[in-house]
């Protein structure tokens, strides 16, 4: 995924954990967060909720290996752009990314 996004000109920062991301200098500059639903430590869902509570919410794309249909509506209610199930098509990721970046631009225009 890193090479795909880099190949289309995206600046990509990878983190070992949600905690590493939160401690990085990139949180406030992140245009789109792509995270796994289940991670060691803080889960992707907890990370997303934390960012919203801190008024640092950003367009988010979730990836999961174990799709639970009950989780999709709850995530989409919180402004999640997409929930992709592994393995996913590169085109699906790019479409989600396009939607996320449009949301980010729209949010900036409204400020």
């Amino acid at each position: 995924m890193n090479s795909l996004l880099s190949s289309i000109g995206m600046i990509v920062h990878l983190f070992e954990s949600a905690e590493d991301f939160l401690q990085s200098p990139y949180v406030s500059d992140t245009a789109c967060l792509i995270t796994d639903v289940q991670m060691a430590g803080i889960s992707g869902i907890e990370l997303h909720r934390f960012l919203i509570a801190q008024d640092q919410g950003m367009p988010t794309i979730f990836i999961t290996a174990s799709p639970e249909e009950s989780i999709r509506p709850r995530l989409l209610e919180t402004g999640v752009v997409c929930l992709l199930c592994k393995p996913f098509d590169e085109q699906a990721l790019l479409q989600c990314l396009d939607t996320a970046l449009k949301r980010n631009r729209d949010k900036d225009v409204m400020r």
Side-chain angles (χ1 to χ4, degrees):
M1 180 170 37
N2 180 28
S3 59
L4 170 66
L5 298 180
S6 294
S7 74
I8 61 167
M10 298 285 117
I11 297 170
V12 179
H13 300 285
L14 302 176
F15 300 94
E16 291 291 320
S17 67
E19 294 87 350
D20 288 347
F21 171 66
L22 291 172
Q23 293 173 8
S24 78
Y26 301 110
V27 174
S28 62
D29 295 331
T30 299
C32 176
L33 177 65
I34 301 174
T35 184
D36 206 303
V37 170
Q38 296 178 347
M39 299 186 292
I42 298 174
S43 74
I45 294 170
E46 292 168 326
L47 172 62
H48 179 68
R49 288 183 181 148
F50 176 81
L51 291 168
I52 290 171
Q54 299 297 312
D55 200 29
Q56 294 184 331
M58 61 205 60
T60 303
I61 299 169
F62 276 101
I63 298 171
T64 185
S66 54
E68 297 175 33
E69 281 307 310
S70 63
I71 200 171
R72 184 179 298 274
R74 289 185 297 158
L75 288 175
L76 295 177
E77 285 173 3
T78 64
V80 170
V81 176
C82 293
L83 174 62
L84 297 172
C85 298
K86 296 177 187 176
F88 54 86
D89 180 71
E90 288 180 349
Q91 248 345 88
L93 174 62
L94 293 175
Q95 287 174 331
C96 289
L97 183 61
D98 184 56
T99 300
L101 295 176
K102 283 179 184 173
R103 278 192 195 176
N104 195 52
R105 282 190 296 272
D106 292 345
K107 182 178 78 172
D108 287 343
V109 168
M110 297 187 79
R111 286 187 190 174

